[in-house]
Amino acid sequence: MIALQDRQLVYEFLMLELAIRSLQYDIDNMKHLKFAELYFTQLDGVLKNLQVDYHWRRKKLVGKKIRFYKWVKVDDYFTDAILATDGEDVVIRFSTHVLKQNSQLLIEQKMLPIIHKV
């Protein structure tokens, strides 16, 4: 069971997990574009920023004996996140649409400071 005070940390960690995966996928596919170099440095900065936040939250969760196991697609509308805790495995069901929206918002929030620097 995940304690109430740890749920926000778990949610933030999972959103970072998805945002990093999504951004890595986009960067890999973007390399074939004509002007990819223009965007690559900015997206790489965002990715590094997300990874720092991700590792910090992961370390906090390990200290609380919570670790992320895997994502399982239930159907077109829902996805389960499986977490291992000290006593049992915990399954948290998310709306796929909401996960996509929130990970996109997270990436956009991390991009704003980088865009304003340029």
Side-chain angles (χ1 to χ4, degrees):
M1 184 107 181
I2 297 175
L4 189 59
Q5 65 269 20
D6 297 333
R7 289 183 185 179
Q8 182 65 31
L9 181 63
V10 168
Y11 180 75
E12 291 169 0
F13 173 79
L14 293 173
M15 287 303 102
L16 285 165
E17 165 84 20
L18 285 176
I20 288 170
R21 284 184 183 196
S22 176
L23 201 53
Q24 286 173 333
Y25 178 82
D26 289 348
I27 288 172
D28 287 342
N29 287 324
M30 187 183 69
K31 291 179 182 177
H32 306 293
L33 298 176
K34 188 184 270 187
F35 296 105
E37 220 30 62
L38 293 173
Y39 303 107
F40 183 72
T41 55
Q42 293 173 346
L43 292 178
D44 193 46
V46 171
L47 182 61
K48 287 178 182 174
N49 193 341
L50 288 171
Q51 288 172 334
V52 168
D53 290 349
Y54 174 83
H55 289 296
W56 181 81
R57 282 174 178 77
R58 183 174 176 205
K59 187 183 286 187
K60 295 276 283 188
L61 288 175
V62 167
K64 296 176 183 281
K65 298 183 180 177
I66 300 170
R67 65 183 171 85
F68 172 69
Y69 182 63
K70 67 178 176 177
W71 290 102
V72 176
K73 184 176 179 177
V74 176
D75 56 25
D76 289 340
Y77 304 104
F78 294 101
T79 301
D80 288 345
I82 301 177
L83 302 157
T85 62
D86 207 18
E88 62 184 319
D89 289 350
V90 176
V91 178
I92 304 172
R93 182 157 291 174
F94 292 100
S95 164
T96 305
H97 179 71
V98 171
L99 287 175
K100 288 178 184 178
Q101 278 184 326
N102 289 348
S103 64
Q104 182 179 348
L105 285 173
L106 181 60
I107 292 170
E108 288 172 3
Q109 288 172 352
K110 295 293 182 178
M111 282 188 88
L112 286 176
I114 291 173
I115 292 172
H116 291 298
K117 285 181 184 177
V118 175

